[in-house]
Amino acid sequence: MTDRELDEVLTHLWPIVLRRAMADGSDEWLKGFVKSIARHSKRATWRPTRKQEQIMRRLVSEVRTSPVPELDLIER
């Protein structure tokens, strides 16, 4: 992953991945992983390991291809 790709993922797409993982709530490992990446990414010198990068790419790909979930309105 190039520096530019990493910046794009962490700035634009990772917040979406994080929100979806927290909203799903069923996979504790996934929630821990996305929170860990968000924490580590705050350090300027941090780079994902090869395995982290593979998982990150898969999650970002899922976000890009899945439809936006419909919001459930409080009042109808």
Side-chain angles (χ1 to χ4, degrees):
M1 189 178 291
T2 66
D3 287 338
R4 185 171 183 209
E5 286 176 314
L6 184 61
D7 285 345
E8 179 184 342
V9 165
L10 294 174
T11 303
H12 300 290
L13 299 168
W14 205 252
I16 298 167
V17 171
L18 184 62
R19 272 187 246 118
R20 288 195 182 176
M22 294 300 122
D24 181 30
S26 61
D27 189 346
E28 291 300 319
W29 183 88
L30 181 62
K31 290 193 314 187
F33 177 79
V34 296
K35 287 193 292 188
S36 171
I37 296 298
R39 271 193 314 272
H40 289 303
S41 68
K42 292 179 183 178
R43 293 181 301 176
T45 59
W46 178 80
R47 299 281 304 164
T49 65
R50 180 174 289 176
K51 188 165 184 162
Q52 287 173 327
E53 181 180 335
Q54 290 171 347
I55 297 168
M56 288 172 70
R57 284 185 186 274
R58 189 194 77 208
L59 293 171
V60 166
S61 175
E62 289 173 7
V63 164
R64 284 182 171 157
T65 59
S66 66
V68 176
E70 216 175 286
L71 297 176
D72 189 22
L73 300 175
I74 296 172
E75 295 181 26
R76 293 181 188 233

